[in-house]
Amino acid sequence: MRHLPLAALAATALGLLALLGTTDVRAGTVQRLGLADLAERADLVFEGRVLAARVLEPAPGRIETEYTLREDRALVGAACPLRVFRLPGGVLPDGRGLAIAGLPALPVGADVLLFLSREGSRGTRMPVGLAQGSLRIVTLPDGAKRLVGSAAGLDFVGDAPTAVPAGPGIDYVSGLAEIASGIAARGVEAGR
Amino acid sequence: MSLRRTTLGVLVALAVASTVAAHVRLTHPSNGNPLRWASPGAIAITVNATGSDDIPDGSHLPAIQLAIRAWNDATGTTATLVENTSPGSRARSDWEADDLHTVIFDEDDSSGYFPNGTGIVALTPVWFNTSGVISDADVLFNGSDFTFTTEGVVNAFDVQDVATHEIGHLLGLDHSGWAGATMYPYVDPTVILHRSLAGDDERGLRDAYPTGTYSTIAGRVTRASDGGAVAGANVAALDADGRTIAGALADNSGNYALKGLEAGTYTVWASPLDQPVAAGNLGGGHTVVTTFQSTAIASATVGGSGTTNVGNGTAGVGADAAFALGRNTDELPLRIEPGGSGIYSLHGTGLAAGSTLAASDPDFTVVVIAWNNTVVTFQATAAPGEPMGHVDLRATSPSGDRSVLHAALEVAAVDPFVIGVSPTSGTLSGGTFVTITGAEFRAGARVILANQVYVDGDIGGCTVVDDSTITLTTRASAAGVWDVVVQDRTGSEARAGSGFTFAALPQIASAFPVSGWSGGGTLVRLRGTDFVAGTTVRIDGNLQSGVTVASATSLSFSTSAGLPGGPYVLEIETPGGATASTAFSYQADPDPAVIALDPPSGTTSGGQIVTVTGANFTADAEVVFGADAETGLGGTGADVVFLDANTLQVTTPAMSAGTTNVLVRLALTDQATVATAAFTFQSPSTGGGGGCSIAPIEGPRGPFDGFTAFLPILLALVWLAIGARRPVPVRVRVR
């Protein structure tokens, strides 16, 4: 084995963070998107901590999860200290549920970087690129931050430049730079 | 696997999953129960009638029907999708209703799942209860953001390919780690090989909804270094030929079960689920460890049933290595034909010179052209006659590290080829016998024509006569110019672009009457097929007025004036220019007309004297009760006495009870008219209000009982006596 002690610590930390819970069923057919792509497409891009998740059934058959996040940084969209939005899917207290294929669940307590679409016709948002639009912000024992694909157990999804970082993820600062390039592209397109 | 990931790659998911059997199943997010249909034997599925704006009307139907069929063709499973074709169900848009499991294109984000820019091509919401029983599932295509195709349009998503994948989710299956599996999570517009199921897909269905008897190989993935369990390993069983047969994901204790195996000898491999499919492509609840390298861990010979437990097998997995073959950006699987050869490239890590690359099936030759660290280019050649299926590619580094890309090569039959179609057009109502000529036609082929699919061997399907000929008889189909598509069971297809036209090609089965007054005004009714709105009618080239198309089989018009004579050509012409013709003659004298019948009713036994008043009657007039108003056919002729041009006296025939038409036809000219619902035949028991019955009444016979037997004879004699004093009538018996 060629693992270094620090690496082992990092791996353990990532594993424990993953244990905070990921209960998503992912299966949709989706375009592959990179961070810049996500930033260019999203209506809202922000960092925050998931404070609460509440599953609702506003109408028969419509099961939605209302998330409340403390917003730490807004990258796209107006700042909002307490961000509340709904995603389709979830499991009701009676065990009934709706799994939207490919849609990530946001574990309470997790620090996340989200790329959300505008509200759809029913008032819910969608992570752009489904699971690709939901990344965990992981702080390693050495204090370094990494952006990790939101699903626990994620590993690299390819090494193509457009692939979303997963598994060990990518350096947070590098990720923000890529996101910034996507935001800049939005400006260029908006100015056309 | 890269060294970087060696240092960081131990990721542990919430460990709620127990043993994950062959393939990967969708699970309840909270308790890990596999999602499944409670009554899999007849899972109703409805294809919404409204397709996509991107594709010809109705062409989504055969594409999705073939996707459904791909799953229904799986063996060893009780799961069957039953298409609900009722127009009412197909028209429903309330896809969330529990009683409707539908495939639908969302063209305007009415679902709320497709706000602009999400990048979501299609998805499958699945509703379930706490035990994992699916109560509803639907497939939604994002028609507002993406372009779909049923015609092989470049850069558009193939409806059949996407639908086959999503229907797998509808059945409760998660993604597969096999590049060649339908449940492989990456869709590429240029790849249509996921239209047909791979062994892993079929065994996933067997696992979820088993029937029959199959074998299972069970074991545990451990590390060679310390014997520790390896969670979430991607385990594959290869048969004695080196073909990839079944897959499994080890649970968080390293246990795996390869189910649905036929009798035979298998080699079991374990590989890290890191490329091109990773744990992130799977549903929640799976523990995945990727810090090891591909290793052959066991072999077993199994019978037709039971579980063979190989324990820890013959070898633990090797240590992690900075060596990996395949990326999700590769266009997988790599297609190869029996006896064929191709140049391919695969991306990866550590693909350095000195490495080797081989296929798991020795009948396939792999010659590397270039190693370039992140990409390897090679030529693969398949021996002639190789059966369909999947083959692993195995890369070995100079230091002996190994990376296996499971099911990377898909052996697909040579594409069929269409040379010609004869005839090249047919009627909307179907019934056209079509012969398709070409090459590489094989048993089980499907022909897609307009909004219909014809499957070899099905009743009403097509027939593969030989490898160069397919025949079929068209069904009623949507109008338009359509590609003629011959598709192999594997999904490979040949296409004769714009090869067949379904159009209104009217045919006239009957015209009634076939003759009318030259002054015009005769109501002529045509029966036939493919009558369409906008059809024009000409007699001897002269446009006729008042054309009414009641249906595709019924048309009427009122004649314009013409010159007496004929027969002239009566021609109809659709807006598309298709024509059909019959004959019509003009007569110098006006058409007969019926004003009234007196009395308007009589008994079913017939014999009723009825006076028909009207106009333009002649001595050759025929009267028929019960004739069809549109064709003049049928019915029963009556004895007719011509009294004058305005009066006929007829004797009703015996007929069953009911109201009937009465036809008057002039035999010499064929001019005719029909008085619709003009006469009612009544049963004696209900007629007249007296309750008179000719049935014998039991009981004491009275003094005049015997008299009734002679009453008809007596009446006939009286009638003859009266008639003898009147002018001799012309009597015509009409049949």
Side-chain angles (χ1 to χ4, degrees):
Chain A
M1 300 290 285
R2 290 170 285 183
H3 295 180
L4 301 172
L6 179 59
L9 282 173
T12 304
L14 286 169
L16 288 173
L17 280 165
L19 274 170
L20 289 173
T22 292
T23 56
D24 53 318
V25 175
R26 54 190 64 244
T29 300
V30 65
Q31 280 185 315
R32 285 175 222 163
L33 300 171
L35 288 173
D37 299 325
L38 293 168
E40 194 173 350
R41 289 164 172 262
D43 184 54
L44 288 176
V45 182
F46 62 93
E47 296 177 25
R49 174 164 291 181
V50 183
L51 300 179
R54 185 168 64 115
V55 181
L56 312 165
E57 189 176 21
R62 283 180 56 189
I63 298 175
E64 301 168 353
T65 303
E66 182 184 84
Y67 290 102
T68 303
L69 277 80
R70 182 197 70 210
E71 185 175 282
D72 297 330
R73 178 193 287 199
L75 299 173
V76 173
C80 177
L82 202 62
R83 182 76 69 179
V84 180
F85 59 89
R86 285 178 291 132
L87 300 181
V91 178
L92 293 163
D94 65 3
R96 290 183 300 120
L98 167 62
I100 301 295
L103 192 69
L106 306 178
V108 174
D111 291 321
V112 294
L113 171 59
L114 296 179
F115 301 80
L116 297 182
S117 74
R118 68 189 64 177
E119 288 186 356
S121 62
R122 294 182 170 184
T124 54
R125 294 180 183 268
M126 295 290 278
V128 176
L130 292 176
Q132 300 172 92
S134 171
L135 290 96
R136 302 281 291 278
I137 302 171
V138 176
T139 303
L140 300 179
D142 63 359
K145 284 184 176 179
R146 298 190 73 82
L147 294 173
V148 181
S150 66
L154 266 183
D155 213 312
F156 275 126
V157 184
D159 56 2
T162 57
V164 162
I170 64 169
D171 175 68
Y172 174 79
V173 176
S174 301
L176 286 188
E178 194 175 338
I179 292 168
S181 70
I183 294 172
R186 294 167 62 101
V188 170
E189 291 189 355
R192 284 175 187 163
Chain B
M1 165 163 256
S2 69
L3 182 60
R4 185 163 185 79
R5 276 180 295 134
T6 301
T7 62
L8 295 172
V10 181
L11 301 178
V12 184
L14 183 65
V16 297
S18 58
T19 299
V20 179
H23 201 84
V24 182
R25 306 259 305 270
L26 293 176
T27 55
H28 190 293
S30 297
N31 58 32
N33 284 331
L35 304 189
R36 66 197 183 283
W37 291 89
S39 301
I43 302 168
I45 186 167
T46 303
V47 183
N48 188 267
T50 305
S52 165
D53 295 342
D54 310 324
I55 59 179
D57 287 348
S59 69
H60 67 299
L61 291 171
I64 296 170
Q65 285 164 349
L66 286 172
I68 293 169
R69 180 142 191 150
W71 288 100
N72 281 346
D73 282 348
T75 60
T77 173
T78 59
T80 303
L81 295 159
V82 179
E83 190 188 356
N84 177 354
T85 59
S86 89
S89 295
R90 280 184 169 174
R92 286 175 60 181
S93 58
D94 57 333
W95 53 271
E96 285 173 304
D98 277 358
D99 67 333
L100 184 71
H101 320 312
T102 192
V103 183
I104 188 170
F105 288 82
D106 184 354
E107 299 287 297
D108 55 5
D109 184 36
S110 61
S111 68
Y113 296 155
F114 304 126
N116 184 257
T118 59
I120 304 167
V121 178
L123 50 69
T124 304
V126 179
W127 286 260
F128 50 85
N129 65 21
T130 192
S131 63
V133 171
I134 297 171
S135 55
D136 185 22
D138 305 282
V139 175
L140 286 84
F141 287 78
N142 182 358
S144 60
D145 277 354
F146 289 96
T147 303
F148 294 94
T149 182
T150 53
E151 300 174 298
V153 173
V154 177
N155 291 328
F157 288 92
D158 183 73
V159 172
Q160 185 180 339
D161 194 270
V162 174
T164 309
H165 177 92
E166 295 296 333
I167 289 171
H169 292 316
L170 181 144
L171 287 164
L173 300 182
D174 203 338
H175 285 143
S176 168
W178 287 22
T182 289
M183 298 314 293
Y184 182 66
Y186 296 100
V187 60
D188 188 309
T190 64
V191 176
I192 59 172
L193 290 174
H194 298 142
R195 288 172 168 180
S196 59
L197 302 194
D200 193 40
D201 303 310
E202 189 162 7
R203 282 164 182 82
L205 212 54
R206 287 180 188 175
D207 172 44
Y209 310 103
T211 187
T213 303
Y214 294 96
S215 294
T216 298
I217 296 176
R220 186 164 179 259
V221 183
T222 58
R223 292 186 184 279
S225 57
D226 58 8
V230 178
N234 182 17
V235 183
L238 281 70
D239 66 13
D241 293 327
R243 292 302 186 94
T244 329
I245 299 299
L249 189 70
D251 69 8
N252 62 332
S253 298
N255 296 315
Y256 64 87
L258 294 153
K259 293 185 175 180
L261 299 173
E262 287 85 358
T265 298
Y266 297 90
T267 304
V268 180
W269 283 74
S271 298
L273 190 71
D274 57 356
Q275 283 294 345
V277 174
N281 298 114
L282 308 181
H286 301 298
T287 301
V288 173
V289 172
T290 58
T291 51
F292 63 98
Q293 63 176 278
S294 297
T295 308
I297 59 172
S299 63
T301 299
V302 299
S305 62
T307 298
T308 300
N309 197 320
V310 297
N312 290 348
T314 54
V317 295
D320 197 6
F323 186 67
L325 180 68
R327 288 288 182 264
N328 62 13
T329 49
D330 294 323
E331 291 180 2
L332 293 166
L334 307 177
R335 186 178 190 275
I336 190 166
E337 296 171 353
S341 182
I343 306 291
Y344 309 93
S345 290
L346 286 174
H347 293 83
T349 302
L351 304 176
S355 302
T356 60
L357 185 66
S360 57
D361 185 336
D363 292 337
F364 292 74
T365 305
V366 176
V367 176
V368 172
I369 298 170
W371 295 97
N372 189 22
N373 294 315
T374 58
V375 62
V376 56
T377 304
F378 60 98
Q379 181 179 38
T381 305
E386 283 295 302
M388 306 302 104
H390 291 89
V391 178
D392 291 355
L393 284 175
R394 297 172 183 162
T396 307
S397 74
S399 60
D401 293 329
R402 181 167 281 172
S403 179
V404 175
L405 192 54
H406 292 298
L409 283 175
E410 177 161 334
V411 188
V414 178
D415 282 346
F417 183 74
V418 175
I419 296 173
V421 181
S422 178
T424 56
S425 62
T427 66
L428 299 179
S429 53
T432 305
F433 186 79
V434 177
T435 300
I436 303 168
T437 54
E440 301 292 345
F441 297 159
R442 284 173 284 271
R446 298 94 197 269
V447 175
I448 301 155
L449 197 49
N451 57 342
Q452 302 288 334
V453 56
Y454 304 81
V455 179
D456 178 38
D458 282 3
I459 296 172
C462 65
T463 301
V464 178
V465 178
D466 53 41
D467 64 356
S468 60
T469 310
I470 294 177
T471 60
L472 60 88
T473 300
T474 61
R475 305 185 201 116
S477 301
V481 180
W482 299 89
D483 292 353
V484 178
V485 183
V486 175
Q487 196 174 106
D488 210 75
R489 288 176 67 97
T490 63
S492 301
E493 68 179 33
R495 184 176 293 271
S498 303
F500 197 88
T501 301
F502 278 105
L505 299 176
Q507 294 183 323
I508 299 173
S510 67
F512 173 75
V514 295
S515 182
W517 183 35
S518 58
T522 303
L523 179 64
V524 180
R525 294 180 170 94
L526 304 182
R527 293 293 298 270
T529 55
D530 281 4
F531 297 160
V532 294
T535 295
T536 56
V537 181
R538 287 182 172 80
I539 296 177
D540 195 24
N542 298 315
L543 202 62
Q544 305 297 299
S545 62
V547 177
T548 300
V549 179
S551 69
T553 59
S554 176
L555 178 154
S556 64
F557 67 95
S558 180
T559 61
S560 302
L563 290 174
Y568 298 111
V569 174
L570 187 165
E571 183 182 70
I572 64 174
E573 181 176 357
T574 68
T579 61
S581 62
T582 183
F584 188 83
S585 298
Y586 281 117
Q587 305 298 330
D589 295 323
D591 296 330
V594 173
I595 298 173
L597 279 77
D598 182 30
S601 62
T603 64
T604 55
S605 57
Q608 174 78 47
I609 305 299
V610 175
T611 299
V612 180
T613 57
N616 309 321
F617 298 151
T618 56
D620 59 331
E622 303 170 342
V623 176
V624 178
F625 286 80
D628 183 87
E630 292 201 19
T631 64
L633 300 175
T636 303
D639 285 341
V640 179
V641 177
F642 172 73
L643 300 180
D644 55 43
N646 301 108
T647 314
L648 300 174
Q649 189 176 72
V650 300
T651 304
T652 61
M655 291 195 74
S656 56
T659 300
T660 66
N661 301 327
V662 177
L663 174 147
V664 176
R665 177 190 293 124
L666 307 183
L668 296 179
T669 64
D670 267 337
Q671 290 166 277
T673 187
V674 173
T676 56
F679 193 83
T680 301
F681 287 92
Q682 298 171 323
S683 298
S685 58
T686 58
C692 174
S693 172
I694 60 173
I697 300 172
E698 297 299 327
R701 294 172 66 87
F704 298 102
D705 284 351
F707 174 74
T708 56
F710 300 100
L711 185 58
I713 299 171
L714 184 62
L715 287 173
L717 290 171
V718 170
W719 185 83
L720 284 172
I722 295 171
R725 292 194 292 271
R726 301 182 62 175
V728 176
V730 176
R731 297 167 187 268
V732 181
R733 177 77 182 177
V734 181
R735 291 175 177 78

